[in-house]
């Protein structure tokens, strides 16, 4: 503390001189014309004009941070008080003196947090933000064998079991949520628990590949919430009702027309409540018209429950008819029922109406992608939708076709071109993990079928298809992203296909182990009913 003592002796000498001259010293600002700068100097006033002497404030009452200290006398007095009683000074000064005198390494709690531990803790948090999706519980069948990276293990950063209940300072983010300056001091166990809940639950978030920090921070505020996400009773009843409609529609077709091809949605029934909530949220954010493109998997369910094509027309097509009994409304094209489209003005949960248009699509799964984007662009042009916020495109994909068909990549790369952009498309991948008959490891080289979207810096939300609330949350978040940043976003629903490719094929020939599990696996409706009960 030699520099403390040297500074204090100089200050004391100046004070004695001023007092011996019978005056009081006060700071005053003098202007030096030659340099036009302000300097602080000390001038002496007569005793008659001296300012009133301020009352001393006990050191224990001071809340000055150590970052504000400038006087060596002040520092020396603080150190003397700290040596007698560490609790008599501000906590930041306590930490400062402990580190300065070398006591920090042996002190428990926050005072014992070294710089190296702080750096390691930040690296651990970043590892969860970047790689947490690799540990997320995405496969409803729990068949996928994924190696959890070492970067998610606290041991890799020097933390042990003894550190779990130590408190650490982590308030450097300038962010909302559990990693915020509002809650800067937490135990390592609490930090790890919330990181696991946010990044390793039923939703795996891929967004740290985005170079724009504002976009990343926007997502972090919605992922790293102060408390885990949870819907109230009213919302859960709506979600349950929509899941029931989705499930019972498939059950009815399977019972009534056992031998008919329908390319059902069994195994991904949660798509329907997810899409409905996405459209409701989009309408609340200003969307008036949505153009939808999709393959044949689940098309009848989307037609009946989302776009609201009359069910009697769908059932009529199963019996050979292509026109409604009364001759009004929808008119068929002569194509098979699971290639057809329709349009409808749908009321939303928020009391608005939104126009939905499902484009007809042939068997070439992704051929409809540029058609949907082009139709959306045309609607924006003719409705003078300059901001591209009132008309939106939504594309549904299969996992095999999204990774394997070139038209997907070509359409993605048109998304930001000035003459082609539509202000962002929402992509939903119905990922049944077998495509047609191929296991993922034999069908692509990348970790996920959605990795092609990383070329656009698009966020990707992987979600377990058995968790209907997770699917709803991911779909709502995708709608908010699209309306906020006007760029593409991907929702990857990891599910399964309960029956064969067209309900007539026998899937056990190519995936015997998977279908042995599927036969005893409960439906998403049963899982959600049990959860609510």
């Amino acid at each position: 503390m030699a520099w403390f003592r040297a500074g204090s002796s100089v200050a004391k000498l100046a004070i004695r001189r001023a007092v011996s001259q019978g005056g009081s010293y006060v700071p005053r600002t003098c202007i030096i014309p030659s340099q036009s700068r302000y300097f602080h100097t000390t001038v002496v006033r007569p005793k008659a004009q001296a300012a009133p002497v301020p009352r001393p404030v006990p050191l224990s009452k001071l809340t000055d941070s150590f970052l504000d200290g400038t006087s060596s006398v002040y520092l020396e007095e603080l150190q003397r008080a700290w040596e007698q009683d560490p609790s008599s000074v501000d906590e930041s000064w306590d930490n400062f003196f402990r580190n300065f005198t070398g006591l920090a390494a042996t002190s428990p709690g926050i005072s014992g947090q070294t710089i190296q531990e702080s750096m390691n803790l930040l690296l651990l948090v970043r590892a969860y933000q970047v790689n947490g999706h690799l540990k997320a519980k995405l496969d409803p069948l729990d068949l996928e064998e994924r190696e959890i990276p070492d970067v998610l293990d606290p041991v890799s950063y020097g933390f042990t079991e003894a550190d779990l209940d130590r408190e650490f300072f982590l308030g450097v983010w300038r962010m909302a949520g559990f990693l915020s300056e509002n809650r800067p001091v937490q135990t390592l166990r609490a930090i790890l628990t919330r990181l696991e809940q946010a990044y390793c639950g039923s939703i795996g978030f891929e967004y740290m590949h985005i170079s724009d920090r504002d976009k990343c921070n926007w997502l972090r505020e919605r992922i790293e919430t102060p408390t885990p996400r949870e819907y109230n009773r009213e919302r859960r009843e709506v979600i349950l009702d929509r899941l029931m409609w989705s499930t019972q529609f498939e059950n009815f077709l399977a019972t009534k027309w056992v031998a008919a091809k329908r390319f059902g949605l069994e195994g991904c029934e949660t798509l329907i409540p997810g899409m409905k909530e996405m459209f409701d949220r989009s309408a609340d954010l200003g969307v008036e018209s949505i153009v939808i493109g999709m393959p044949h998997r689940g098309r009848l369910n989307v037609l009946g429950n989302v776009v609201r094509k009359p069910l009697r027309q769908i059932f009529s097509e199963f019996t050979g008819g292509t026109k409604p009994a009364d001759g009004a409304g929808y008119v068929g094209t002569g194509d098979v029922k699971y290639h057809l489209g329709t349009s409808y003005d749908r009321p939303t949960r928020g009391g608005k109406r939104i126009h939905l248009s499902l484009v007809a699509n042939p068997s070439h799964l992704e051929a409809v992608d540029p058609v949907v984007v082009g139709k959306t662009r045309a609607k924006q042009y003719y409705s003078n939708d300059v901001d591209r916020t009132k008309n939106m495109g939504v594309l549904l994909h299969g996992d095999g076709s999204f990774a394997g068909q070139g038209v997907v990549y070509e359409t993605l790369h048109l998304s930001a071109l000035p003459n082609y952009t539509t202000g962002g498309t929402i992509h939903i991948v119905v990922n049944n993990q077998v495509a047609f008959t191929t296991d993922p490891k034999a069908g692509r080289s990348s970790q996920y079928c959605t990795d092609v979207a990383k070329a656009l810096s698009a966020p990707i939300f992987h979600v377990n298809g058995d968790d209907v609330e997770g699917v709803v949350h991911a779909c709502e978040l995708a709608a908010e992203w699209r309306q906020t940043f006007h760029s593409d976003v991907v929702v990857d629903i990891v599910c399964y296909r309960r029956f064969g490719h067209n309900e007539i094929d026998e899937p056990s020939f190519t995936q015997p182990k998977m279908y042995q599990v599927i036969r005893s696996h409960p439906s998403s409706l049963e899982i959600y009913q049990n959860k609510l009960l």
Side-chain angles (χ1 to χ4, degrees):
M1 302 301 286
W3 58 281
F4 275 177
R5 297 189 184 93
S8 65
S9 61
V10 173
K12 289 175 181 177
L13 180 60
I15 294 171
R16 290 195 193 100
R17 284 180 180 176
V19 173
S20 66
Q21 294 175 5
S24 61
Y25 62 100
V26 293
R28 197 169 83 185
T29 302
C30 296
I31 300 177
I32 301 178
S34 61
Q35 298 180 356
S36 298
R37 294 178 182 271
Y38 289 82
F39 289 86
H40 290 280
T41 184
T42 302
V43 296
V44 179
R45 287 180 179 172
K47 287 186 176 180
Q49 299 179 1
V53 179
R55 295 180 179 177
V57 180
L59 287 173
S60 60
K61 299 294 184 181
L62 293 175
T63 57
D64 293 344
S65 169
F66 82 98
L67 296 174
D68 299 328
T70 55
S71 168
S72 59
V73 179
Y74 179 58
L75 291 175
E76 195 171 38
E77 292 297 327
L78 275 176
Q79 188 188 14
R80 287 201 193 102
W82 174 79
E83 289 173 350
Q84 295 175 3
D85 181 12
S87 63
S88 66
V89 299
D90 185 74
E91 184 181 9
S92 62
W93 279 111
D94 181 32
N95 291 333
F96 172 78
F97 287 127
R98 284 181 183 276
N99 282 281
F100 189 85
T101 57
L103 297 178
T106 59
S107 301
I110 309 167
S111 302
Q113 183 175 344
T114 65
I115 295 176
Q116 187 62 48
E117 286 178 332
S118 299
M119 294 176 62
N120 288 341
L121 188 56
L122 294 178
L123 289 173
L124 178 59
V125 171
R126 178 53 58 94
Y128 271 92
Q129 293 167 343
V130 176
N131 299 302
H133 59 89
L134 296 174
K135 193 178 178 182
K137 305 169 184 64
L138 302 180
D139 184 7
L141 303 178
D142 201 23
L143 292 174
E144 186 180 16
E145 296 178 359
R146 293 199 296 176
E147 184 177 350
I148 299 175
D150 293 336
V151 292
L152 297 179
D153 187 354
V155 176
S156 302
Y157 302 92
F159 296 111
T160 64
E161 287 283 339
D163 296 318
L164 289 177
D165 294 313
R166 277 180 59 196
E167 289 187 325
F168 288 89
F169 176 81
L170 197 60
V172 297
W173 299 90
R174 299 184 183 276
M175 295 284 293
F178 64 87
L179 299 178
S180 72
E181 292 183 350
N182 297 326
R183 306 172 65 184
V185 178
Q186 299 180 64
T187 64
L188 181 60
R189 188 187 303 275
I191 294 172
L192 289 174
T193 299
R194 285 296 292 120
L195 286 171
E196 289 279 337
Q197 291 171 340
Y199 289 103
C200 306
S202 60
I203 305 179
F205 297 96
E206 278 193 285
Y207 69 99
M208 293 302 285
H209 58 277
I210 302 173
S211 58
D212 190 327
R213 290 299 94 186
D214 290 336
K215 293 181 177 179
C216 288
N217 290 340
W218 184 91
L219 281 169
R220 278 172 52 189
E221 287 183 353
R222 285 152 181 79
I223 298 169
E224 299 172 358
T225 53
T227 57
R229 163 187 50 84
E230 189 170 306
Y231 291 105
N232 59 30
R233 180 188 179 95
E234 182 182 358
R235 285 294 302 279
R236 283 177 162 175
E237 288 176 352
V238 172
I239 293 171
L240 176 64
D241 179 71
R242 290 172 167 177
L243 183 58
M244 284 179 170
W245 276 92
S246 173
T247 304
Q248 295 304 327
F249 178 88
E250 298 294 349
N251 291 346
F252 179 79
L253 294 184
T255 304
K256 187 74 172 177
W257 292 281
V258 179
K261 294 181 180 180
R262 52 189 170 84
F263 298 94
L265 201 58
E266 289 98 342
C268 192
E269 296 94 338
T270 53
L271 170 69
I272 301 304
M275 287 185 71
K276 289 181 177 181
E277 294 288 343
M278 175 190 288
F279 294 167
D280 289 345
R281 186 71 183 123
S282 298
D284 293 339
L285 297 173
V287 176
E288 298 175 357
S289 174
I290 295 180
V291 183
I292 310 168
M294 66 178 299
H296 42 268
R297 174 73 54 200
R299 174 179 287 264
L300 296 178
N301 207 322
V302 171
L303 279 169
N305 284 315
V306 179
V307 192
R308 293 194 178 178
K309 177 179 177 179
L311 294 181
R312 61 177 177 175
Q313 293 182 19
I314 296 176
F315 301 153
S316 175
E317 291 160 6
F318 272 94
T319 58
T322 57
K323 293 184 179 182
D326 56 5
Y330 174 81
V331 178
T333 62
D335 203 349
V336 290
K337 51 190 169 295
Y338 39 81
H339 290 174
L340 303 177
T342 190
S343 60
Y344 181 72
D345 286 334
R346 175 187 173 85
T348 68
R349 187 167 44 84
K352 299 185 178 181
R353 296 191 77 86
I354 189 168
H355 181 76
L356 303 179
S357 174
L358 178 60
V359 178
N361 188 24
S363 290
H364 196 278
L365 306 177
E366 302 290 344
V368 77
D369 295 357
V371 178
V372 167
V373 175
K375 183 175 180 179
T376 305
R377 172 86 181 194
K379 282 180 170 253
Q380 293 171 349
Y381 176 82
Y382 285 109
S383 65
N384 197 29
D385 183 10
V386 180
D387 297 331
R388 311 194 188 284
T389 57
K390 298 179 180 178
N391 298 273
M392 183 175 76
V394 174
L395 288 173
L396 278 73
H397 312 267
D399 52 327
S401 60
F402 194 81
Q405 288 193 232
V407 67
V408 175
Y409 194 66
E410 294 163 6
T411 305
L412 287 171
H413 269 281
L414 291 172
S415 64
L417 300 182
N419 293 327
Y420 295 90
T421 182
T422 61
T425 301
I426 298 178
H427 302 268
I428 303 176
V429 180
V430 179
N431 184 354
N432 60 28
Q433 305 185 74
V434 293
F436 177 35
T437 57
T438 309
D439 290 329
K441 62 183 179 182
R444 60 176 183 268
S445 301
S446 61
Q447 171 79 32
Y448 299 107
C449 63
T450 55
D451 284 344
V452 65
K454 289 184 180 178
L456 275 73
S457 293
I460 303 168
F461 310 141
H462 307 280
V463 55
N464 188 317
D466 270 357
D467 181 10
V468 62
E469 291 186 9
V471 173
V472 165
H473 177 64
C475 289
E476 285 187 303
L477 187 59
E480 294 173 7
W481 169 276
R482 193 273 177 189
Q483 286 300 91
T484 303
F485 297 107
H486 312 295
S487 61
D488 287 34
V489 56
V490 180
V491 178
D492 176 26
I493 305 177
V494 183
C495 55
Y496 58 94
R497 189 182 64 206
R498 186 167 290 276
F499 303 112
H501 179 62
N502 57 15
E503 288 82 38
I504 299 176
D505 300 333
E506 176 49 66
S508 296
F509 292 151
T510 53
Q511 272 81 29
K513 182 178 178 181
M514 172 182 280
Y515 278 88
Q516 184 178 0
V517 175
I518 289 176
R519 288 190 190 97
S520 58
H521 189 73
S523 69
S524 53
L525 177 59
E526 293 175 294
I527 293 173
Y528 195 51
Q529 283 177 336
N530 293 333
K531 176 183 177 180
L532 296 185
L533 290 174

